[in-house]
Amino acid sequence: MPIPKEQQRELNEKGCILIPDVLSQSEIEMYKARLLELAEKEREDGSGRVHTNGLGQHVRWLVNKGEIFEKLVAHPKVMPFFEYLLGVNYTLSTLTSNIISPGASDGGYHVDNALGAMPEPLPSFPMFVNSLWLLDDFTPENGGTRYVPGSHRSLTKPPSGLANHPQEVRLSAPKGSVFLFNGAVWHSAGANRTGKARIALICFCCRSFLKPMFDFVHYLKPGVVERATPVMRRIYGFDSQPKPPDVPKHNKRDTRAI
Ligand SMILES: O=C(O)CCC(=O)C(=O)O
């Protein structure tokens, strides 16, 4: 089902939208407990991906870290927004998370992934769409994402070293909701001036012709691939791979579809 016209307009104009009530209270608790457990384990074993002077942490490759994360990949309440912005054959680029601990300062303004390396003007249509699945209430005080509504329409990247912007907004939104935005919107995690961490799952998708950040096709665990529905397989990128080499027709052992 396509999203209503009003939401299409909001996404076109502001570049972002809040989708309410995506996760239930029990899902929030389940994801949070598992993420905190993974974050601690990864800090201890040295694989932890910390940032912002050690006060931020990404736990990445979530699809390989528990079956519970697989249902985020093709969530019926969120998929129509990705489809509207990226086309019905969009793919997953990363399924990750961002934990912002007390004392973390504002992150640096950026646009997402390859947009940061592209010459201006940036493409006038969406290439990447990010979504933050809030596992805590986000506020301007606890690290609520800061962003500049409509900045995707400038077709430029944020000036380097941009500290604040006159139109900057800091996200206030309840846990369980999803903040979805065009990756060309200037944004960053906010400073956390409270005594508690602020946690979000992140599902980041791209057009099917772009290279995703993570290679799901070759590195998903076998059980994850077996459980994937055809739609999930497409989202993981199985339907948008570069072609393998041509092989002689009499080579009966080769069953690849070319
Ligand atoms: O965690 C946040 O508030 C922002 C995350 C972010 O900047 C990103 O995923 O590019």
Side-chain angles (χ1 to χ4, degrees), residues 51-52 54-56 99-107 141 143 190-194:
H51 61 86
T52 317
L55 295 172
I99 301 172
I100 302 293
S101 294
S105 50
D106 279 336
E141 290 76 40
N192 188 344
R193 289 180 272 269
T194 70

Side-chain angles (χ1 to χ4, degrees), residues 53 66 86 96-97 105 126 137 162 167 184 192 200 214 226 239-240 252-254:
N53 294 323
L86 297 174
T96 179
S97 54
S105 50
D137 293 334
L162 173 67
Q167 269 96 49
N192 188 344
F214 292 88
E226 278 154 28
D239 298 350
S240 47
K252 292 207 173 64
R253 279 180 309 158
D254 195 299

Side-chain angles (χ1 to χ4, degrees), residues 219-236:
Y219 293 98
L220 282 181
K221 287 184 173 166
V224 179
V225 180
E226 278 154 28
R227 284 188 295 273
T229 61
V231 169
M232 287 168 79
R233 283 180 64 86
R234 188 217 78 222
I235 294 177
Y236 289 134

Side-chain angles (χ1 to χ4, degrees), residues 90-95 113 128-129 203-206 210-216 235-236:
Y90 76 87
T91 63
L92 183 65
S93 184
T94 176
L95 188 70
N113 193 228
F128 302 93
V129 172
C203 181
F204 179 64
C205 295
C206 60
L210 293 170
K211 189 153 61 167
M213 291 172 76
F214 292 88
D215 184 352
F216 298 107
I235 294 177
Y236 289 134

Side-chain angles (χ1 to χ4, degrees), residues 19-237:
I19 312 169
D21 304 321
V22 175
L23 298 176
S24 68
Q25 185 58 33
S26 61
E27 286 174 316
I28 293 168
E29 283 163 19
M30 172 184 72
Y31 286 122
K32 212 167 155 177
R34 178 72 184 132
L35 268 185
L36 289 171
E37 188 185 9
L38 285 165
E40 188 181 346
K41 178 185 155 291
E42 293 180 6
R43 275 197 313 274
E44 278 170 13
D45 72 15
S47 65
R49 309 293 301 198
V50 293
H51 61 86
T52 317
N53 294 323
L55 295 172
Q57 186 173 355
H58 297 297
V59 178
R60 314 191 305 181
W61 271 106
L62 290 177
V63 268
N64 273 355
K65 294 179 180 170
E67 203 173 327
I68 55 169
F69 294 111
E70 291 167 30
K71 73 192 275 198
L72 305 174
V73 169
H75 198 291
K77 285 193 178 166
V78 181
M79 271 187 77
F81 293 87
F82 283 119
E83 287 174 349
Y84 171 65
L85 288 168
L86 297 174
V88 291
N89 58 352
Y90 76 87
T91 63
L92 183 65
S93 184
T94 176
L95 188 70
T96 179
S97 54
N98 203 8
I99 301 172
I100 302 293
S101 294
S105 50
D106 279 336
Y109 265 117
H110 61 279
V111 288
D112 280 328
N113 193 228
L115 290 172
M118 285 172 70
E120 294 170 348
L122 299 179
S124 57
F125 59 93
M127 307 275 278
F128 302 93
V129 172
N130 209 339
S131 67
L132 306 179
W133 302 52
L134 312 195
L135 301 184
D136 289 294
D137 293 334
F138 272 31
T139 69
E141 290 76 40
N142 77 351
T145 313
R146 60 186 188 136
Y147 61 99
V148 182
S151 48
H152 63 300
R153 287 188 280 126
S154 71
L155 309 186
T156 62
K157 301 174 243 187
S160 67
L162 173 67
N164 297 99
H165 187 279
Q167 269 96 49
E168 169 179 290
V169 174
R170 287 178 189 261
L171 184 62
S172 265
K175 59 186 166 190
S177 54
V178 169
F179 180 61
L180 181 136
F181 55 97
N182 183 326
V185 168
W186 302 359
H187 67 278
S188 82
N192 188 344
R193 289 180 272 269
T194 70
K196 256 183 82 213
R198 174 238 84 169
I199 308 179
L201 294 161
I202 298 182
C203 181
F204 179 64
C205 295
C206 60
R207 289 201 179 257
S208 62
F209 57 79
L210 293 170
K211 189 153 61 167
M213 291 172 76
F214 292 88
D215 184 352
F216 298 107
V217 169
H218 296 103
Y219 293 98
L220 282 181
K221 287 184 173 166
V224 179
V225 180
E226 278 154 28
R227 284 188 295 273
T229 61
V231 169
M232 287 168 79
R233 283 180 64 86
R234 188 217 78 222
I235 294 177
Y236 289 134

